[in-house]
Amino acid sequence: LYFDFDHFKRVNDTLGHGAGDLLLKHSAERLRQCLRASDHVLRETGCAGDDAQDAPAVVRFGGDEFILVLGDLADAYSAARVARRLQESFVQPFKIGSDELFVTASIGIALYPDDGQDTETLLRNADAALFDAKQHGRNGYSFYLKEMNARSRERLSLEGRLRRAIEQAQFELHYQPQICLDTNRMIGLEALVRWRDPEKGLVNPMEFIPLAE
């Protein structure tokens, strides 16, 4: 399970990194309480919780991300139940100083061995599932599907094209009039950015605007 907070940057930007670090510590404790001694939380250098007798250690993977490894699952529904339990544990606010903070999280799930037979592949596919969960409104979970890799490659390609489009001044403004229905007079203009790709012509705004934002 690839666990990532939604809009965590707002906490750091608003209350400072000290408050953000404290929130992560409290969050790690809640995660730990949801897991069994046989479960683990990975970091980049290895696995934490291998020697735990009562409960697993919880270690960040990076930033506001945690990797949770669940063992002895009967089926995929068991992973979904754990994901829901983790998210439900964050319904109650966190007390940080004089502030009460409500946070949500998105979770991507990859299953061994169907979604990968090594750590790198499982992490990559769980990350793709996490991105899908965030694209569908956040505060939810998604299982990895093979077509997610194709979408990830398309997004990476689009990002590269978008950067070149900025460098090569491929964007133009289209002005859309705003009309008063009572007087039938133009009362203003709305400026819309459009991307004219040299090879593909005008790119659908719904294709590039979300990434540009």
Side-chain angles (χ1 to χ4, degrees), residues 162 165-166 168-173 193-196 208 212:
L162 195 59
I166 295 172
Q168 298 173 10
Q170 295 175 9
F171 292 98
E172 56 191 45
L173 287 176
V193 67
R194 293 294 179 261
W195 177 7
R196 190 175 297 278
F208 78 91

Side-chain angles (χ1 to χ4, degrees), residues 18-37:
D21 288 343
L22 194 56
L23 175 60
L24 287 172
K25 291 179 182 179
H26 291 331
S27 301
E29 178 60 24
R30 285 198 190 178
L31 291 177
R32 189 188 67 80
Q33 292 173 358
C34 290
L35 300 178
R36 307 160 299 173

Side-chain angles (χ1 to χ4, degrees), residues 83-197:
R84 285 196 297 269
R85 187 165 71 241
L86 292 170
Q87 290 175 322
E88 288 168 359
S89 73
F90 283 76
V91 170
Q92 295 300 319
F94 290 89
K95 185 72 173 178
I96 306 295
S98 59
D99 297 296
E100 278 193 338
L101 302 182
F102 291 86
V103 296
T104 61
S106 300
I107 300 175
I109 304 172
L111 300 174
Y112 172 90
D114 294 345
D115 300 331
Q117 299 189 23
D118 59 79
T119 303
E120 182 179 354
T121 303
L122 284 169
L123 284 176
R124 183 175 66 248
N125 292 342
D127 189 27
L130 171 65
F131 179 77
D132 182 77
K134 288 184 176 291
Q135 288 291 97
H136 286 85
R138 303 174 187 268
N139 193 26
Y141 63 88
S142 290
F143 282 89
Y144 169 75
L145 298 173
K146 290 183 179 179
E147 52 263 33
M148 290 178 181
N149 279 338
R151 291 203 297 267
S152 295
R153 287 193 292 270
E154 289 173 4
R155 179 180 171 85
L156 190 63
S157 173
L158 180 62
E159 184 175 330
R161 289 171 51 211
L162 195 59
R163 290 183 182 277
R164 288 193 297 273
I166 295 172
E167 296 170 356
Q168 298 173 10
Q170 295 175 9
F171 292 98
E172 56 191 45
L173 287 176
H174 288 196
Y175 295 97
Q176 179 170 284
Q178 296 173 326
I179 306 295
C180 173
L181 297 181
D182 291 331
T183 64
N184 204 34
R185 293 174 60 88
M186 187 173 71
I187 58 173
L189 293 171
E190 186 177 14
L192 307 173
V193 67
R194 293 294 179 261
W195 177 7
R196 190 175 297 278
D197 186 287

